[in-house]
Amino acid sequence: MAAAAALEEAAAPVGALCGLVQDFVMGQQEGPADQVAADVKSGGYTVLQVVEALGSSLENPEPRTRARGIQLLSQVLLQCHSLLLEKEVVHLILFYENRLKDHHLVIPPVLQGLRALSLSVALPPGLAVSVLKAIFQEVHVQSLLQVDRHTVFSIITNFMRSREEELKGLGADFTFGFIQVMDGEKDPRNLLLAFHIVHDLISKDYSLGPFVEELFEVTSCYFPIDFTPPPNDPYGIQRDDLILSLRAVLASTPRFAEFLLPLLIEKVDSEILSAKLDSLQTLNACCAVYGQKELKDFLPSLWASIRREVFQTASERVEAEGLAALHSLTACLSCSVLRADAEDLLDSFLSNILQDCRHHLCEPDMKLVWPSAKLLQAAAGASARACEHITSNVLPLLLEQFHKHSQSNQRRTILEMILGFLKLQQKWSYEDKDERPLSSFKDQLCSLVFMALTDASTQLQLVGIRTLTVLGAQPDLLSSGDLELAIGHLYRLSFLEEDSQSCRVAALEASGTLTTLYPRAFSSHLLPKLAEELHKDVARENGSSKCSKHFRCLQALSAVSTHPSIVKETLPLLLQHLCQTNKGNVITEASGVIAICQSLQQVAEKCQQDPESYWYFHETAVPCLFALAVQASMPEKESSVLRKVLLQDEVLAALASVIGTATTHLSPELATQSVTCVIPLFLDGNTSFLPENSFPGQFQPFQDGSSGQRRLVALLMAFVCSLPRNVEIPQLNRLMRELLEQSCSHNCPFSSTAAAKCFAGLLNKQPPGQQLDDLLQLAMDTVEAGLASESSRNQAFTLLLWITKALVLRYHPLSTCLTTRLMGLLSDPELGPAAADGFSLLMSDGSDVLTRAGHADVRIMFRQRFFTDNVPALVQGFHAAPQDVKPNYLKGLSHVLNRLPKTVLLPELPTLLSLLLEALSCPDSVVQLSTLSCLQPLLLEAPQVMSLHVDILVTKFLDLSSSHSMLLPYKAQVIRALAKPLDDKKRLVRKEAVSARGEWFLLGSPGS
């Protein structure tokens, strides 16, 4: 009884398996296959049991039934091939190979089964070859469906990955078999696999035997690729995928050269743009693996085709690819190793290029001059040998042509060509100075450049400046005499009038570049001239001339501050000049002091690349600037104009900008060293680190009642808010309390705003913890007390705004409460408009504090988060607000939307469209402009949404445009008044007058 029970128990699962097989084979249900596979994986059945259960199906006389049976087995194997034993794999392989001779309906599931077995790690040696031979012999692949052909390519790929040595044992038979499989394939999904297989055949050194041409033909028939993916293609195959895969095959071996190069020449000469581009790019790729032997017979034809395309094409892309192909050809010929008795193909190839292009260089007005120059430069840039060969032939000709042609535009063209060849020389290094191709032309080149620099043509001067820069970059090319002359020309060009501003800018840039290469020459020949110009008694000169020369001298000093040794000369000069200003020796206008500060800032920016120079600038300039400001803030018996200048808002802002730029790139160690001097200066009046620190009084910006000293908090703000985040600030709590107190002082709006910004900048960098919480609580108490006081409401509001920005940027939880408080002020009769403008500040990037450059904690998507958190509340507040307050909400909303990235804004605009349309009726021009900026992308990107509101939009736009009618009565008067500046001596004034007069002429005309 026990034995019978055991048999019955064993038969139960087998019976269930037979039922699943029957459902799949006869019932045409797909689910049972997955169930059987799952049971095999879980150990419920073995593969052998599945085969036994399929027995009658596999032997059924009906082909469709046999096919369903094999399909079930193949699907199971695809999921369970890792569980197979070697013995099972052997039997299954023999079974499937035999079935390849079966009815054509049976072949697809047989191939699926072989694909599964090709993935098995238990596959014994020799069976991969057996399977492939059977497929090559028994299966007519071209008659199969796409998916089944794909299966064949997958089987080959799997075996090449896991049984490489076995397949190589087949020799050329494997290559021939694959050629038969691939022949006639058209589906892009299969071609990607096929191209990959061909590339592996070549790159992994499979035997091609006598079938090289056949393998080339079976792949090159697809060249050039002409494939356009269907719309909504689920496979995502792009034309470029096929192009790059095929190119990798064609350019993978020199053995294809004799077949491929004629094909490429034929396609380049065709009329199809895509074929030209593909052919030139493929030629470019081939040159990386070809040698002189492969190219020799085709060089004349290749050159003729490339020359024709560059000379005649209307496509810039074809021209660029043609030049790239020529460059690669020349590089290939340059790299080939020659036998002693072999012909040097590079020389003959370059001689052909010179012969066809050289004479065009003598015709600077003709259209072929630039194509010829580009071809020569493309070849010359390929190797040092090519560069020397072409340069030695072309430069004498161009130098002769420069002197032969007298017109400036012709000389400019010739000099630009020379410049192109000179730039190529920078790619190659020569150990021996005499070997350099330019050495023999040095004197002629310098003479030619100096002629260009003294020409009346601005355009020729510009090319001359660029050429001088490139010549200077050639090591040991310019003599000391040449350098002195060059520096003299650059000095002269740096002081040109406004009409030649482009030349002046180019001369300054060239001076900076050459200073890094020749610091001693510029120190000897340029800096003394600039120092003399700076110290002249400019009061004797004409006022406008004085200012322009002074500004240009400052620009030149900052431009050449590109080398550490030069900075040590220019920085003291600039600081000394600023000190003389403070003592009343030179300038009394704010613009003069600001110009010096701008130059100092430019020097600081240049020093940021070199830590040593940067620290020198910081420890020299920052104490000096603090000393000047402290001196100016001291009370004096007599009122000084200069003292007032240094304490003006814009001058202090310029000084602050220099201090900030000189601090942001300090290392934490040096920043700590500096902060221990600056903080005691402001908190304790300790002036010991300042130069010339004998001041007539004490410096107490937080205790002293004078506004002069309080205003210097702007400089403290620039310093401490530019420090790295991990620098510990001494006496921080005391400093924050002093800043809070000053920020609510109503005596001086400038100093109270500076204190609020400084407090916010430090708060933003403060790490989370009790100290930050205490500071926030203290700040909120101060803000609420200030808002409740009539005298300090504006200052308290400014403090609230900056604290809110500091917390919004770092995603602090309290930012939500502060933003809500700010929204509440939109309804305030006094502060409402300012609160609306405050949203612009919250969403914009900072310029002096709370910047990434100043190490502030600025999260990447703070604007998007602010929008998500606060716009719904703004919209709700707008609907609930009284009519006279609604414009404030609209203004705040428009500021938020206008600062959002367009990709974030577009999906949200349709829901806010009704509000934006209402905002167009707001009398505030800022709201109108901001709203129009929001609507513009929506009109372009979502016209279907806007079309629903076209009536309202047109009406609103017409109302806005009707404001012209208010200006029409003044049209004639303004046009007459603008006639006078048309004759002004300054070109920029004349230019602006013409532009403004034109706008007034068009006012009121149709379309204006």
Side-chain angles (χ1 to χ4, degrees):
M1 292 291 291
L7 285 171
E8 190 173 329
E9 187 177 338
V14 175
L17 175 59
C18 291
L20 290 171
V21 168
Q22 189 69 14
D23 290 343
F24 182 89
V25 175
M26 306 306 294
Q28 300 294 312
Q29 299 177 25
E30 301 301 323
D34 292 331
Q35 180 63 51
V36 172
D39 289 342
V40 171
K41 281 197 275 190
S42 66
Y45 314 125
T46 64
V47 173
L48 179 59
Q49 287 176 313
V50 175
V51 174
E52 289 173 348
L54 283 167
S56 59
S57 302
L58 300 178
E59 296 171 358
N60 194 291
E62 174 58 42
R64 295 184 188 279
T65 304
R66 294 200 303 277
R68 287 293 288 178
I70 295 173
Q71 185 181 344
L72 174 61
L73 178 60
S74 297
Q75 287 183 229
V76 171
L77 292 177
L78 280 169
Q79 298 185 51
C80 307
H81 58 80
S82 60
L83 304 175
L84 294 173
L85 302 174
E86 183 176 313
K87 186 177 179 181
E88 294 173 326
V89 172
V90 171
H91 288 298
L92 288 167
I93 289 283
L94 291 173
F95 166 75
Y96 276 112
E97 283 182 2
N98 186 53
R99 291 296 177 162
L100 284 174
K101 302 173 184 177
D102 203 338
H103 193 276
H104 67 87
L105 292 175
V106 178
I107 301 301
V110 171
L111 292 172
Q112 288 291 343
L114 288 171
R115 182 166 75 90
L117 294 170
S118 71
L119 296 168
S120 173
V121 294
L123 186 75
L127 287 190
V129 170
S130 175
V131 168
L132 289 180
K133 280 184 174 180
I135 291 175
F136 293 158
Q137 185 175 346
E138 303 294 344
V139 181
H140 186 253
V141 177
Q142 286 74 25
S143 64
L144 299 175
L145 295 175
Q146 179 273 326
V147 66
D148 302 318
R149 301 197 305 274
H150 191 277
T151 302
V152 175
F153 288 122
S154 298
I155 293 169
I156 296 172
T157 302
N158 293 339
F159 282 145
M160 289 180 74
R161 190 181 298 123
S162 61
R163 296 290 190 272
E164 182 177 330
E165 292 306 319
E166 291 180 35
L167 300 191
K168 285 181 177 178
L170 271 172
D173 289 345
F174 175 57
T175 302
F176 180 69
F178 171 74
I179 290 171
Q180 288 181 308
V181 168
M182 182 181 175
D183 191 22
E185 181 57 61
K186 294 180 180 178
D187 191 277
R189 291 164 287 182
N190 295 347
L191 284 174
L192 281 177
L193 264 182
F195 291 155
H196 181 73
I197 292 170
V198 178
H199 185 266
D200 281 353
L201 279 172
I202 296 167
S203 63
K204 295 182 178 178
D205 204 23
Y206 283 78
S207 173
L208 306 185
F211 304 115
V212 175
E213 185 173 1
E214 285 77 4
L215 186 62
F216 172 78
E217 292 294 340
V218 84
T219 50
S220 64
C221 64
Y222 301 102
F223 183 87
I225 294 291
D226 183 18
F227 168 68
T228 303
N232 305 317
D233 180 20
Y235 305 102
I237 296 175
Q238 298 299 314
R239 182 170 176 268
D240 283 350
D241 299 331
L242 291 166
I243 288 174
L244 295 175
S245 296
L246 178 56
R247 185 176 300 154
V249 170
L250 297 177
S252 60
T253 174
R255 299 168 72 181
F256 282 168
E258 61 178 305
F259 316 115
L260 177 60
L261 290 175
L263 175 64
L264 294 180
I265 293 168
E266 176 192 336
K267 298 301 180 184
V268 169
D269 295 344
S270 72
E271 299 300 320
I272 304 170
L273 179 64
S274 60
K276 291 177 183 287
L277 289 170
D278 201 353
S279 300
L280 290 167
Q281 290 166 352
T282 304
L283 175 61
N284 199 342
C286 289
C287 289
V289 295
Y290 288 4
Q292 288 199 7
K293 176 185 172 185
E294 289 76 27
L295 294 172
K296 180 179 179 180
D297 295 336
F298 302 97
L299 285 175
S301 299
L302 287 169
W303 162 239
S305 295
I306 291 172
R307 181 191 61 209
R308 186 186 309 108
E309 292 310 315
V310 175
F311 276 179
Q312 298 179 6
T313 185
S315 166
E316 290 184 6
R317 288 183 63 198
V318 171
E319 180 189 278
E321 294 299 341
L323 294 173
L326 178 61
H327 178 96
S328 298
L329 275 173
T330 311
C332 177
L333 296 174
S334 303
C335 295
S336 299
V337 179
L338 296 175
R339 298 194 315 273
D341 59 341
E343 176 191 0
D344 187 355
L345 288 179
L346 176 65
D347 276 350
S348 59
F349 183 63
L350 294 178
S351 297
N352 285 338
I353 297 174
L354 283 164
Q355 182 180 344
D356 290 344
C357 296
R358 197 171 183 271
H359 61 281
H360 291 302
L361 303 183
C362 303
E363 303 167 335
D365 292 327
M366 305 303 284
K367 70 174 185 177
L368 290 181
V369 64
W370 273 116
S372 299
K374 288 176 182 178
L375 285 165
L376 287 165
Q377 288 167 7
S383 69
R385 279 179 63 205
C387 192
E388 183 178 355
H389 185 115
I390 290 179
T391 302
S392 61
N393 278 275
V394 169
L395 264 187
L397 175 67
L398 290 175
L399 290 168
E400 178 190 335
Q401 293 301 314
F402 185 88
H403 293 290
K404 187 177 287 187
H405 293 84
S406 57
Q407 293 183 19
S408 295
N409 61 333
Q410 295 173 327
R411 287 187 160 188
R412 185 192 72 196
T413 300
I414 296 166
L415 187 55
E416 282 182 334
M417 288 190 284
I418 292 174
L419 176 60
F421 288 104
L422 294 180
K423 285 180 178 178
L424 296 174
Q425 297 290 331
Q426 296 175 318
K427 296 176 65 175
W428 320 112
S429 58
Y430 301 87
E431 294 181 5
D432 188 349
K433 188 192 304 185
D434 295 330
E435 287 183 4
R436 294 173 187 148
L438 295 183
S439 299
S440 55
F441 304 109
K442 189 262 292 182
D443 293 337
Q444 297 174 69
L445 285 168
C446 289
S447 171
L448 179 145
V449 168
F450 296 150
M451 285 177 66
L453 294 178
T454 52
D455 195 272
S457 165
T458 300
Q459 295 303 315
L460 183 53
Q461 286 179 348
L462 282 170
V463 183
I465 292 169
R466 286 159 49 206
T467 309
L468 175 61
T469 307
V470 174
L471 276 179
Q474 297 289 329
D476 304 320
L477 187 68
L478 298 182
S479 66
S480 57
D482 296 329
L483 278 171
E484 186 174 352
L485 275 173
I487 291 170
H489 285 298
L490 291 174
Y491 173 78
R492 175 181 55 80
L493 294 169
S494 298
F495 285 84
L496 289 174
E497 294 300 320
E498 285 184 2
D499 286 351
S500 303
Q501 185 175 0
S502 56
C503 266
R504 187 160 53 83
V505 172
L508 291 173
E509 187 178 339
S511 299
T513 302
L514 293 174
T515 301
T516 59
L517 302 170
Y518 307 101
R520 287 186 180 179
F522 277 82
S523 175
S524 302
H525 303 303
L526 182 65
L527 291 186
K529 291 182 180 179
L530 293 175
E532 182 185 351
E533 186 66 44
L534 204 61
H535 295 145
K536 275 182 181 177
D537 184 9
V538 292
R540 296 178 185 171
E541 299 183 26
N542 173 274
S544 62
S545 173
K546 172 188 74 175
C547 286
S548 64
K549 276 201 167 185
H550 175 249
F551 291 157
R552 286 165 195 168
C553 188
L554 293 173
Q555 288 177 331
L557 280 169
S558 60
V560 297
S561 300
T562 54
H563 191 276
S565 64
I566 297 291
V567 172
K568 290 181 180 177
E569 296 184 61
T570 55
L571 180 59
L573 266 177
L574 290 167
L575 292 175
Q576 181 186 2
H577 190 54
L578 190 60
C579 292
Q580 289 175 338
T581 300
N582 194 39
K583 292 172 183 174
N585 295 343
V586 183
I587 303 165
T588 57
E589 294 180 2
S591 60
V593 181
I594 292 171
I596 301 172
C597 291
Q598 288 171 341
S599 290
L600 284 169
Q601 184 173 351
Q602 289 165 8
V603 176
E605 288 169 354
K606 289 180 169 66
C607 290
Q608 287 175 349
Q609 306 303 320
D610 179 50
E612 188 178 336
S613 293
Y614 190 68
W615 173 241
Y616 168 76
F617 185 97
H618 180 88
E619 68 174 352
T620 306
V622 171
C624 180
L625 297 180
F626 275 128
L628 285 172
V630 169
Q631 180 69 48
S633 71
M634 292 294 169
E636 294 181 2
K637 293 180 182 178
E638 297 180 4
S639 177
S640 166
V641 174
L642 285 163
R643 177 173 171 269
K644 289 181 180 178
V645 166
L646 280 173
L647 296 178
Q648 285 181 17
D649 294 0
E650 60 270 25
V651 175
L652 283 175
L655 289 169
S657 188
V658 178
I659 292 170
T661 306
T663 306
T664 53
H665 283 60
L666 285 179
S667 67
E669 296 76 22
L670 293 176
T672 301
Q673 183 179 328
S674 189
V675 77
T676 53
C677 299
V678 175
I679 298 301
L681 168 67
F682 280 84
L683 291 181
D684 306 318
N686 184 350
T687 60
S688 59
F689 86 105
L690 300 180
E692 302 180 12
N693 54 15
S694 55
F695 300 110
Q698 284 189 316
F699 180 62
Q700 296 178 322
F702 292 116
Q703 290 81 32
D704 184 24
S706 74
S707 65
Q709 293 193 3
R710 288 178 178 272
R711 295 171 72 80
L712 299 198
V713 173
L715 305 187
L716 172 67
M717 171 201 76
F719 175 79
V720 294
C721 291
S722 300
L723 294 169
R725 248 184 274 177
N726 55 352
V727 172
E728 185 177 348
I729 296 175
Q731 307 182 67
L732 179 63
N733 279 333
R734 179 184 167 195
L735 175 63
M736 298 294 269
R737 290 175 184 275
E738 296 285 8
L739 289 169
L740 266 182
E741 184 178 342
Q742 182 155 319
S743 66
C744 286
S745 168
H746 60 273
N747 296 330
C748 176
F750 178 84
S751 59
S752 62
T753 301
K757 291 164 73 173
C758 187
F759 182 87
L762 291 171
L763 198 67
N764 172 268
K765 295 181 185 179
Q766 190 68 18
Q770 189 59 46
Q771 187 178 27
L772 176 61
D773 295 341
D774 293 343
L775 287 172
L776 283 172
Q777 187 59 53
L778 180 64
M780 292 317 300
D781 292 343
T782 305
V783 166
E784 293 302 336
L787 289 173
S789 167
E790 194 64 36
S791 60
S792 57
R793 290 197 80 208
N794 287 323
Q795 289 74 27
F797 166 75
T798 302
L799 177 61
L800 169 65
L801 194 57
W802 281 102
I803 293 174
T804 305
K805 183 174 178 67
L807 299 186
V808 164
L809 292 178
R810 62 180 282 178
Y811 292 176
H812 192 279
L814 189 60
S815 63
T816 305
C817 301
L818 296 182
T819 308
T820 303
R821 183 73 179 91
L822 190 62
M823 283 187 203
L825 291 174
L826 289 170
S827 302
D828 188 282
E830 181 186 352
L831 298 176
D837 284 329
F839 283 92
S840 175
L841 176 69
L842 295 182
M843 294 291 285
S844 60
D845 290 320
S847 57
D848 47 3
V849 296
L850 298 174
T851 64
R852 289 188 174 92
H855 311 286
D857 187 356
V858 182
R859 303 300 172 90
I860 296 175
M861 300 180 73
F862 78 90
R863 292 184 181 87
Q864 288 89 319
R865 180 164 178 167
F866 187 87
F867 170 84
T868 304
D869 291 348
N870 298 292
V871 164
L874 273 173
V875 173
Q876 187 178 353
F878 167 81
H879 291 302
Q883 197 62 36
D884 59 332
V885 175
K886 284 183 184 290
N888 294 339
Y889 281 92
L890 286 174
K891 194 172 190 179
L893 178 65
S894 66
H895 282 315
V896 173
L897 297 179
N898 206 29
R899 300 282 182 176
L900 269 184
K902 294 295 182 259
T903 51
V904 180
L905 178 64
L906 280 172
E908 304 293 339
L909 276 180
T911 59
L912 300 168
L913 193 54
S914 59
L915 262 177
L916 290 172
L917 293 174
E918 189 160 346
L920 289 175
S921 302
C922 183
D924 193 319
S925 61
V926 174
V927 178
Q928 292 172 355
L929 285 171
S930 183
T931 305
L932 289 170
S933 299
C934 293
L935 288 172
Q936 185 189 16
L938 196 61
L939 287 164
L940 295 172
E941 303 291 337
Q944 67 282 359
V945 176
M946 301 303 284
S947 63
L948 302 174
H949 306 273
V950 67
D951 292 342
I952 303 173
L953 281 168
V954 171
T955 304
K956 298 284 185 184
F957 291 161
L958 286 173
D959 290 343
L960 290 173
S961 63
S962 66
S963 58
H964 280 177
S965 60
M966 299 172 2
L967 300 174
L968 285 174
Y970 305 98
K971 179 176 176 178
Q973 180 184 347
V974 173
I975 289 173
R976 282 195 301 272
L978 285 171
K980 185 177 179 182
L982 291 176
D983 297 322
D984 193 274
K985 64 179 182 178
K986 292 185 181 293
R987 182 181 64 85
L988 290 176
V989 174
R990 298 195 302 272
K991 180 182 175 184
E992 291 299 324
V994 168
S995 176
R997 207 159 181 253
E999 293 291 333
W1000 277 89
F1001 267 120
L1002 293 172
L1003 187 68
S1005 61
S1008 67

